[in-house]
Amino acid sequence: MNKIKISEKLSTATYLLSTFYGEDPFDPENVIAIGSGVAINNKGYLLTTAHTITNRLPIRFTDVQDPHAKTVAKTKYGNFSQYTTIHCGIQLTNPLLKKPIQVDLAILKPLKVGNNVPFLNVCFDPIKLGLDVMMA
């Protein structure tokens, strides 16, 4: 896939996210965090950073369990959807580490799952055991 096609796919698969209290997701008085995310499958699941959801690191479990906080995402076309956080600030442990580390990633699921959402492929070839994975 060439750079122009990737850029076009990224343009349609990128969302503006807001986690907030109240009714207006972009009212500065209500906003907890604002950032961006990218759709990673045709159902509309989004990949973003954990701090985009909570506005802090390290992530606290209570940050994503607040029943009054909402997260919405908007495309460049202005279409809004509400999301729920299914993973946020994943903890990794390893015997070589003194303490667990927290990965600054979050995965969001739309409350109304789509079936034809533009998304950016995470991998273009079949995933095989032993594949090198790069993460920024």
Side-chain angles (χ1 to χ4, degrees), residues 59-134:
I59 305 304
R60 298 179 190 154
F61 182 70
T62 55
D63 289 339
V64 294
Q65 298 302 316
D66 186 339
H68 304 291
K70 301 178 210 169
T71 300
V72 295
K74 163 178 129 161
T75 66
K76 72 178 188 175
Y77 305 108
N79 303 328
F80 275 93
S81 296
Q82 190 168 346
Y83 282 76
T84 185
T85 304
I86 58 175
H87 297 289
C88 189
I90 301 162
Q91 296 282 336
L92 298 179
T93 58
N94 185 305
L96 300 175
L97 301 172
K98 290 182 181 179
K99 60 183 182 177
I101 59 171
Q102 191 174 73
V103 180
D104 188 20
L105 287 177
I107 299 175
L108 308 177
K109 177 184 177 182
L111 293 185
K112 294 180 182 174
V113 176
N115 61 7
N116 197 22
V117 175
F119 69 99
L120 189 65
N121 295 7
V122 175
C123 185
F124 296 105
D125 297 321
I127 297 172
K128 296 177 186 171
L129 185 62
L131 180 70
D132 290 332
V133 177
M134 306 214 186

Side-chain angles (χ1 to χ4, degrees), residues 18 36 46 58:
S18 176
S36 62
L46 301 180

